[in-house]
Amino acid sequence: MTTFHRRGITEEAAEASIYQACQKLRLPTIKGQFVDLAAAAPRDQMSYLGFLAELLMAECDYRARKASERRIKMAGFPRQKSLREFDFDANSNIDPAVINTLATSDWVRKHLPLCLIGDSGTGKSHLLIALATEAAMAGFKVRYTLAAKLVNELVEAADEKMLTKTIARYGRVDLLCIDELGYMELDRHGAELLFQVLTEREESNSVAIASNEAFSGWTKTFTEPRLCAAIVDRLTYGGNIIETGTHSYRWAKTQAQAATAQKAAAG
């Protein structure tokens, strides 16, 4: 056991003791920065309390950053997307002010739903992942999944008598993101299982979805009208609905790039 003395300890011994203590207490940032900060403290006229505060805040910042990275990794996003990368100029249907308000994650804090509706290439999935990433960075537990994948998992869980446990697992996360809802028809059993997940989360945790179908077309996915109406109600009540439009800015960008390449080749 290391013994610390108030007097008579050399600088080298003090550094060695702090290094060992940081290893035992798992304080990697303090371990890596205390020597440089201690050297800078006299020059910056830093008090003992100021020096200690700098070290502890550096450690807190490191832990918060690592925790944020873990939440983002655990969310299972298929790719990284950020709001900084989103081209608002290319899609006039999307109001930057509304998206910036959603980026505060207050809707997740209030357990409200979010629906992103629009054709392919209009930025639905980009916004879904980017806003969910903001929520993860804000401290919320997030889970991303494709609608078909979620339903298949629920069907398999039901067959293996693990449905209750699986629904509870999806119910615990603060934000559940369901992408590509509406791309395929679900049979009644699959639709009912998805409805159970949504019911488990109702008014207790948020759900965000991205769909290429307007709500009027959801009967193609949920073929039983009453069940379809109930699912729409679960996903829209009190929440935010963002319509990303029908014009694919991704396709327009591809065309513009092709035209530019042709001009360059001709010139």
Side-chain angles (χ1 to χ4, degrees), residues 93-253:
N93 292 293
I94 300 171
D95 186 348
V98 173
I99 300 303
N100 288 334
T101 298
L102 291 171
T104 65
S105 301
D106 191 51
W107 58 283
V108 182
R109 195 171 292 106
K110 293 178 179 177
H111 317 306
L112 299 176
L114 170 65
C115 296
L116 295 155
I117 310 294
D119 283 1
S120 296
T122 57
K124 302 184 307 298
S125 292
H126 187 138
L127 289 174
L128 180 67
I129 294 172
L131 289 171
T133 299
E134 292 291 333
M137 292 172 64
F140 295 105
K141 294 180 180 178
V142 178
R143 181 70 183 273
Y144 170 97
T145 184
L146 299 176
K149 182 179 179 181
L150 173 58
V151 171
N152 288 338
E153 183 179 348
L154 293 171
V155 170
E156 290 177 6
D159 291 342
E160 297 171 3
K161 302 190 184 305
M162 297 286 288
L163 183 61
T164 300
K165 185 177 180 179
T166 302
I167 290 176
R169 175 160 49 82
Y170 277 105
R172 283 193 295 270
V173 295
D174 300 309
L175 172 60
L176 175 61
C177 300
I178 305 175
D179 204 353
E180 297 186 2
L181 186 63
Y183 279 77
M184 62 177 289
E185 179 183 324
L186 299 177
D187 62 22
R188 183 181 178 89
H189 182 50
E192 288 176 345
L193 293 176
L194 179 58
F195 180 68
Q196 288 186 50
V197 171
L198 299 179
T199 300
E200 176 78 11
R201 301 181 59 78
E202 186 179 17
E203 296 184 10
S204 60
N205 288 308
S206 292
V207 176
I209 66 100
S211 176
N212 67 321
E213 281 284 354
F215 294 121
S216 59
W218 278 27
T219 49
K220 300 173 188 174
T221 300
F222 308 105
T223 55
E224 205 288 310
R226 297 178 72 177
L227 181 59
C228 179
I231 288 175
V232 171
D233 179 69
R234 291 289 190 279
L235 291 174
T236 58
Y237 181 72
N240 299 277
I241 301 172
I242 307 295
E243 295 183 354
T244 59
T246 58
H247 179 66
S248 173
Y249 77 85
R250 193 163 56 201
W251 172 241
K253 185 176 180 180

Side-chain angles (χ1 to χ4, degrees), residues 37-110:
L37 279 174
R43 182 183 65 246
D44 297 338
Q45 297 183 332
M46 197 180 298
S47 67
Y48 291 121
L49 288 178
F51 171 65
L52 180 60
E54 286 284 342
L55 282 175
L56 293 177
M57 289 308 298
E59 191 66 49
C60 288
D61 289 345
Y62 169 81
R63 293 194 177 193
R65 185 170 64 255
K66 296 301 289 185
S68 178
E69 291 172 358
R70 284 195 298 272
R71 287 191 297 271
I72 291 172
K73 184 176 181 179
M74 290 176 64
F77 299 125
R79 53 199 171 276
Q80 293 183 350
K81 293 292 182 181
S82 72
L83 293 179
R84 291 190 304 275
E85 299 169 334
F86 192 81
D87 189 355
F88 289 98
D89 294 333
N91 191 338
S92 59
N93 292 293
I94 300 171
D95 186 348
V98 173
I99 300 303
N100 288 334
T101 298
L102 291 171
T104 65
S105 301
D106 191 51
W107 58 283
V108 182
R109 195 171 292 106
K110 293 178 179 177

